[in-house]
Amino acid sequence: MDNNDFLIVEKRIVARFMDMFIKFGLILGLASFCFTVFSPFLNMMLWALILAVTLYPLHQYFAARLGGRQGWASTLLVLLGVLLIVAPTVLMISSLGESVSAMIDKMGDSHLVIPPPSESVSSIPIIGGKLHALWLKASVDLPGLLSTYRTQIGEIAKQVLSILASMGGGLIGFVVSFIVAGIMMAWGAAGANSANRIAMRITDEKKGLSLTKLCTGTIRAVAQGVIGVALIQALLAGVIMAMAGIPAVGIFFILALILGIAQVPVILVTAPAIAIMWSTGDHGMGMNIFYTVLLIVAGMVDNVLKPLMLGRGVDAPMPVVLLGALGGMAASGILGMFIGATLLSIGYRIFMAWVNDGLSSAASGNNG
């Protein structure tokens, strides 16, 4: 082969690489543009997809009772979801905003009186002395204390307002997601077929079906057995607290929701609420006992809900679910809490399935 042949081959290789890079650049540019356009709706669509996958068996049950009418079943399910889940959640988050606003108003009120600390506060290890001094200064000269820490209080207020704004946007997305999920469920069979085809295109025919089955099972396990139970329990506790007239219900609701997702007993939240009710409430002995019993039941109702809503255990470890929830909440507010817990669990399950598949292949090769 002479130099002319080498030059011809070199030109062909360069031309082929140029074609490949141009095509890759165009595809990358198109994907980037599509993501930029779609990104404002990403969390909403992800949550809608999670809801659709989770509620699809219930949707099919309603459809069977309505003579196979998929659209009517979706409409009924969306209305029930908005009535039973979305509306109480909106009330709880609104209560959180009102609690923060009332706290800020009281701090700015010159007539606000803070009782002096007891001597037992100073005996707390490490922080007792500083806490006692700070509390004492607040009880003696609250305006002066607020003036001293004005910069820090301003930063904290900005963070709180940012969190509340994020939660407000998340609630709007929550409502829209239910509606979009209803539309997805109305065409559930076509959507499932498309998901299988995409998964098979990414992997192969056998692994693609296993991948969709794994993702579907994980979504339903986490959404029903962890997030669903935690949300229902937090809403139940929040509604009872609101009926009992306990202040700062929204704060208790968020704490109960986080503890429920972390699989920590929610009685740790309802017990302080009971103490506040007995110390500040004016319902009388009988009503206080009644609300106390209800709050104790609400704090332990997950022991009944989990067997009803989850037939088997969640394969993703609880630290993975909790990290996903907290990370999602830090990134995208209340809606991100649910999305993060589900997606991180899916990622963990896919990764572990890949690891186990590799170990099985290696073991088969060694036996062969």
Side-chain angles (χ1 to χ4, degrees), residues 11-365:
K11 288 180 180 180
R12 289 178 178 175
I13 293 174
V14 171
R16 182 63 61 87
F17 272 104
M18 285 297 295
D19 289 343
M20 182 182 68
F21 282 125
I22 290 173
K23 292 178 182 178
F24 179 75
L26 291 174
I27 293 173
L28 185 63
L30 179 61
S32 176
F33 176 76
C34 292
F35 178 78
T36 302
V37 173
F38 187 71
S39 58
F41 312 100
L42 182 61
N43 285 340
M44 181 187 69
M45 295 302 295
L46 284 174
W47 182 235
L49 180 61
I50 292 170
L51 285 174
V53 172
T54 304
L55 298 176
Y56 190 66
L58 182 59
H59 172 269
Q60 290 302 293
Y61 174 81
F62 285 158
R65 294 295 182 273
L66 294 172
R69 298 175 181 174
Q70 302 291 324
W72 282 103
S74 295
T75 303
L76 177 60
L77 198 54
V78 168
L79 291 176
L80 287 175
V82 171
L83 179 64
L84 299 178
I85 301 295
V86 176
T89 303
V90 170
L91 292 177
M92 292 298 106
I93 302 299
S94 299
S95 174
L96 176 60
E98 293 172 0
S99 301
V100 174
S101 177
M103 186 182 301
I104 293 175
D105 291 340
K106 287 183 179 180
M107 290 180 66
D109 188 359
S110 58
H111 300 291
L112 178 63
V113 177
I114 296 179
S118 64
E119 293 301 324
S120 60
V121 175
S122 58
S123 63
I124 299 176
I126 303 176
I127 63 171
K130 293 182 179 180
L131 180 60
H132 185 275
L134 186 65
W135 191 340
L136 182 62
K137 184 173 178 59
S139 64
V140 175
D141 184 19
L142 181 60
L145 179 65
L146 296 178
S147 178
T148 303
Y149 295 97
R150 181 177 300 171
T151 303
Q152 293 88 337
I153 293 175
E155 291 297 324
I156 293 174
K158 289 181 182 178
Q159 294 293 332
V160 171
L161 291 176
S162 176
I163 292 173
L164 291 177
S166 175
M167 287 183 175
L171 288 175
I172 296 174
F174 208 75
V175 177
V176 177
S177 295
F178 256 94
I179 298 174
V180 176
I183 298 172
M184 289 181 178
M185 286 184 288
W187 283 273
N193 184 45
S194 298
N196 287 330
R197 291 170 59 194
I198 292 171
M200 287 188 288
R201 184 67 180 88
I202 294 173
T203 56
D204 55 40
E205 184 173 351
K206 182 179 179 181
K207 291 182 179 179
L209 296 176
S210 299
L211 178 62
T212 54
K213 184 178 180 181
L214 183 146
C215 292
T216 301
T218 303
I219 288 174
R220 287 176 181 163
V222 175
Q224 292 179 11
V226 179
I227 298 174
V229 170
L231 182 58
I232 292 174
Q233 187 175 22
L235 286 174
L236 180 61
V239 169
I240 295 172
M241 290 180 193
M243 293 170 57
I246 297 172
V249 174
I251 297 175
F252 284 113
F253 167 75
I254 295 296
L255 291 176
L257 186 59
I258 294 174
L259 289 183
I261 292 176
Q263 305 293 286
V264 176
V266 179
I267 193 71
L268 296 177
V269 172
T270 57
I274 292 172
I276 292 174
M277 181 187 66
W278 279 93
S279 62
T280 62
D282 54 356
H283 302 293
M285 177 70 71
M287 292 305 296
N288 280 346
I289 293 175
F290 175 70
Y291 286 128
T292 298
V293 173
L294 290 182
L295 286 173
I296 292 175
V297 172
M300 298 186 296
V301 74
D302 57 318
N303 296 314
V304 178
L305 290 176
K306 285 177 183 176
L308 292 176
M309 299 183 66
L310 187 64
R312 58 181 180 81
V314 181
D315 293 331
M318 282 305 109
V320 173
V321 179
L322 178 60
L323 286 176
L326 296 179
M329 185 177 183
S332 304
I334 190 72
L335 193 60
M337 178 189 294
F338 308 132
I339 298 172
T342 306
L343 292 186
L344 195 62
S345 299
I346 291 174
Y348 171 83
R349 291 291 313 282
I350 292 175
F351 176 74
M352 292 308 300
W354 174 75
V355 170
N356 294 332
D357 184 63
L359 293 176
S360 299
S361 299
S364 300

